[in-house]
Amino acid sequence: MKQKRILFGLACMSLMVSCADLDYHEYTTYDKNYVFTDFDRTAGVVTDIYSFLDSDIPTDGSLCSACDESEYAWSWSSVFGYTDGRWSPSNPYSRWDFAGIRRANFFLTEYVNADFSELKYDKDYEAEMKRFNRYPYEVRFLRAYFYFNLARAYGDVPLITKVLTEDEANQVTRTPVAEVFDFIVKECDAILEADQLPVRYSDLVGDAANGSSTDGGRVTKQAVMALKARTLLYWASPLFNKENNSGLWRQAAQANKDVIDFCTANGISLGKYSEIWGTNNWQAGEMIFVRRVGDMNWPETTNFPVGMENGNSGNCPTQTLIDAYEMQATGLAWDEPGSGYDQTDPYAGRDPRLAMTIAVNGDKWPDTNPNPLETYQGGRNGLPLAGATPTGYYLKKYLDKTIDISTSTGSGSTRHNWVTYRLGEFYLNYAEAVFNYLGSADATDGTFTMSAVDAVNVVRSRSDVNMPGFPTGLSNDEFTEKYRRERMVELAFEGHRFWDVRRWKDGASQRSIIEMQITKNGDRYTYNRVPKSRYWDDKMYLFPIPDSEIRKNPNLTQNPGW
């Protein structure tokens, strides 16, 4: 279809799906009457909308290396644009993507005219109709989810819920972010009120999804609740809640409590931390919504250590992150008096999540590496080898330690899944929200009977973590510091840290990272923390709107500072 490019592809929503922007795979040459008269073709349209769900499994360009979680080992990576001052409207690292929203709007406009009357005598007609009747609620969730991702990145964005003509698309304006968040919350409430989505698809009876693995990864009731809860937390946060409206914090606390209570009532509970990633992590007990990304080995080839065959290095955890892991015996930070930290053996006695997440000098990692890691200067996996870790560490989390990436005996690919929502996040979200609403870490009331400290301690008490609980009596500053460390540790490399420092307006923390320089002297190692500066400007709390989009539509205004 020949048509000039316009605002983020929002236009070109004609009545025919032959428009190139509507990329419906094998359905692209057919019109709506063809798509919405066959169950499989309609299912294909919905599956296509699901394909716009995001993931950030660590690779080149992952946001973990655009914040203080990690540092990318190769200087050519585009991710350095976030931290060296190159980021700009003409170099926008754009997330200004409305393609999923455009497809969702098309579906929600046209599905009401679907006609499956010719199929009514098929034996599975009734079961397929049950599945079809859920689709509008799944798609409304997906559209709301896409809008959340846009709002957290850009703030005010055009809120469009209908099919647009080209002229309409070229004249849209940005909607205040509070209205976008409010739309997301109301959509979630409406979906929940309709009560059409299950807790588990395998529990459905007389339904096309009953017991079908092909319906794994679809939107559930608890996923809708999770989107609402996360949205309200962001809305209440300093970046978007400039007047610190306590009512927003209360709504966030209530929504996150609702997630916790619903999960408790439906058998969704915290398990082992080590079960959060891996081929079957979608089956872990605390999972709320997981995207099945696919079978691959590129996370391993990207991040396995330099110095082993085909290991390319990649996202290397920073000492800044390592310092967030407290001492297990005392629950104190490494630099607090009486913590028990030993500078000659810096990884001994630490929070067990460190060893699960990060590979340190001397580790046997991965299983297919024939030698223990040598990340010290001059070591087998250390500088000055090209691409060796600049921080002294390699990544474990989200990687399959059993994959063989060698040329001769490579073991192929394994399934990787991105955790969109899991229960551990919502205990932490609740803790943050109730702390800010009630004003102290120990406070409770008639509605919120679990204090912020209590909620954090649930997460720290996992069977394979078993960290000491936060004590009562913490000052607000002390709780905030410990909470932010806990969140950095618990949610490491799950796509939170980059956004957390922005919604907290804690950009100053991103002006430097710490690397660990390790030297070997005989059988002894010396560990030296080395600061490395990074660029930060407060305009970076929000993304720049691409210049190319503003040229297409002068009604779009740029974010402050860009």
Side-chain angles (χ1 to χ4, degrees), residues 303-331:
N303 292 288
F304 274 180
V306 162
M308 64 176 290
E309 186 177 358
N310 292 332
N312 291 311
S313 187
N315 300 281
C316 300
T318 63
Q319 183 63 42
T320 307
L321 173 59
I322 275 71
D323 286 345
Y325 291 84
E326 297 173 343
M327 305 301 296
Q328 188 173 29
T330 62

Side-chain angles (χ1 to χ4, degrees), residues 58-70:
T59 184
D60 178 28
S62 293
L63 293 182
C64 57
S65 288
C67 64
D68 55 2
E69 278 185 318
S70 62

